[in-house]
Amino acid sequence: MGTIYLLHFDRPFKHAGHYLGWASNLDARLGHHLNGTGANLLKHVKAAGIGWVVARTWTGDRNRERQLKNQGSRARLCPICNPPKP
């Protein structure tokens, strides 16, 4: 088990507005992303000067991460893009 996380970009990078990943140690993984030594997409996002925030997390494993990725649209999972309705 670990943490599945959804990153919301401040502005889109080409086709991407989000990143969905999994980590056994979330703080360490986010540190890699911030330094540009994590996922390739986030290295390019950093180089483009685009910021991001952790929009949502789930407890789960890599299988659950794959299920979420296979569902498509990350924006649909994002509470920043789809705020809860009162």
Side-chain angles (χ1 to χ4, degrees):
M1 293 301 266
T3 304
I4 303 163
Y5 57 96
L6 179 69
L7 304 181
H8 172 92
F9 301 159
D10 294 342
R11 60 183 168 85
F13 175 76
K14 298 184 180 183
H15 69 283
H18 299 86
Y19 176 81
L20 184 70
W22 177 89
S24 60
N25 180 332
L26 183 59
D27 290 336
R29 185 66 174 154
L30 294 176
H32 285 289
H33 292 324
L34 283 170
N35 293 331
T37 59
N40 191 46
L41 172 61
L42 290 170
K43 178 170 69 173
H44 293 289
V45 165
K46 177 182 172 69
I50 300 171
W52 49 264
V53 296
V54 177
R56 186 172 177 187
T57 62
W58 301 262
T59 299
D61 58 16
R62 289 185 180 271
N63 293 324
R64 180 66 179 137
E65 175 201 13
R66 176 54 44 202
Q67 288 174 342
L68 291 169
K69 285 183 174 182
N70 288 343
Q71 289 178 4
S73 179
R74 310 295 182 267
R76 188 176 42 78
L77 300 172
C78 180
I80 296 169
C81 296
N82 296 297
K85 296 180 179 159

